[in-house]
Amino acid sequence: MWLLNSSIGRKVVMSVTGIALILFLTFHCCMNIAAFFSGEAYNTICELLGANWYAVVATLALAALAVIHIVYAFLLTAQNRRARGSERYAVTDTPAKVEWASQNMLVLGIIILLGLLLHLFNFWFHMMFAELTEMHVTYSPSDGFAWIKDTFSNPVYVVLYIIWLVAIWFHLTHGFWSAMQTLGISGKIWFNRWKCIGFIYVTILMACFLLVVLAFAFKLAPSLCCAI
């Protein structure tokens, strides 16, 4: 199957799964912004998206997308390394038109993967997993607001999350327009437009995530009793 065996097919899979993950991040961002304004509103969303069958199915689908994206990223990296052969050991000047993110996508990907594992431990493990297994945890599995406050009261987690968000920003600002180019949506006219759109969109998206982290870190977020 060409999606599995060819370089172009693998890039198409990477692009489609990448776009799907960006859409999820957009939804997740909107959910997090609710926590900035109202603890009750955020917990209402958490209860709605608790250990229900549709939430579990959506979680499994999201996990599959993430795994496919990561696996294909490593396959493409290995393929590119084999194609370059001994040339990859040669000392060459960095091409002026090649973005830093493009040259360091593997490193960025590893940072993002480690950050994802940390994020899953801090939230998914203590919320959905705890609810499904009836595991005893410090707060109620549906009290997402309490878990956010607890996580970002730790300065170490705050720093790690900032590093994670910066890595995601670099990864997505390159990946956004690259996906459009791979899917054939980006022509000569739209190439720079997609780069501009991607830069603005991803910057706003990551800034919103960062705003939530810093708001809870500096205790600027509302208390649970506050509502919009």
Side-chain angles (χ1 to χ4, degrees), residues 64-77:
L65 284 172
V67 169
I68 292 171
H69 192 79
I70 292 168
V71 169
Y72 271 67
F74 279 100
L75 286 175
L76 283 170
T77 300

Side-chain angles (χ1 to χ4, degrees), residues 33-218:
I33 289 296
F36 181 75
F37 292 102
S38 168
E40 291 182 357
Y42 184 75
N43 280 349
T44 298
I45 298 173
C46 289
E47 291 178 6
L48 179 65
L49 300 176
N52 303 300
W53 69 266
Y54 50 83
V56 174
V57 170
T59 300
L60 293 174
L62 178 63
L65 284 172
V67 169
I68 292 171
H69 192 79
I70 292 168
V71 169
Y72 271 67
F74 279 100
L75 286 175
L76 283 170
T77 300
Q79 177 181 296
N80 292 336
R81 282 179 170 270
R82 286 197 302 269
R84 289 179 61 187
S86 60
E87 291 182 6
R88 68 177 182 270
Y89 300 108
V91 178
T92 57
D93 295 330
T94 302
K97 294 184 179 180
V98 178
E99 297 179 349
W100 180 88
S102 178
Q103 299 176 49
N104 295 276
M105 288 297 272
L106 179 60
V107 175
L108 290 172
I110 292 174
I111 295 174
I112 293 170
L113 176 59
L114 293 175
L116 177 61
L117 294 176
L118 175 64
H119 187 64
L120 289 174
F121 171 75
N122 285 334
F123 294 99
W124 179 83
F125 178 75
H126 291 110
M127 295 176 70
M128 181 179 285
F129 181 81
E131 188 174 349
L132 288 171
T133 60
E134 298 183 351
M135 180 179 69
H136 176 73
V137 288
T138 306
Y139 309 105
S140 169
S142 61
D143 192 357
F145 192 80
W147 288 111
I148 294 180
K149 289 178 65 177
D150 183 73
T151 299
F152 298 126
S153 65
N154 187 331
V156 175
Y157 282 147
V158 172
V159 172
L160 291 176
Y161 268 81
I162 291 174
I163 294 173
W164 185 41
L165 292 174
V166 170
I168 295 175
W169 181 86
F170 274 110
H171 187 83
L172 293 186
T173 50
H174 171 79
F176 188 95
W177 65 261
S178 180
M180 296 302 177
Q181 189 177 48
T182 298
L183 297 175
I185 303 175
S186 175
K188 291 182 179 180
I189 297 177
W190 273 92
F191 178 76
N192 289 327
R193 292 179 182 177
W194 280 124
K195 291 189 74 171
C196 182
I197 292 171
F199 180 86
I200 294 173
Y201 186 82
V202 171
T203 299
I204 294 175
L205 190 63
M206 292 299 106
C208 289
F209 278 114
L210 182 61
L211 177 65
V212 173
V213 172
L214 295 179
F216 279 89
F218 292 100

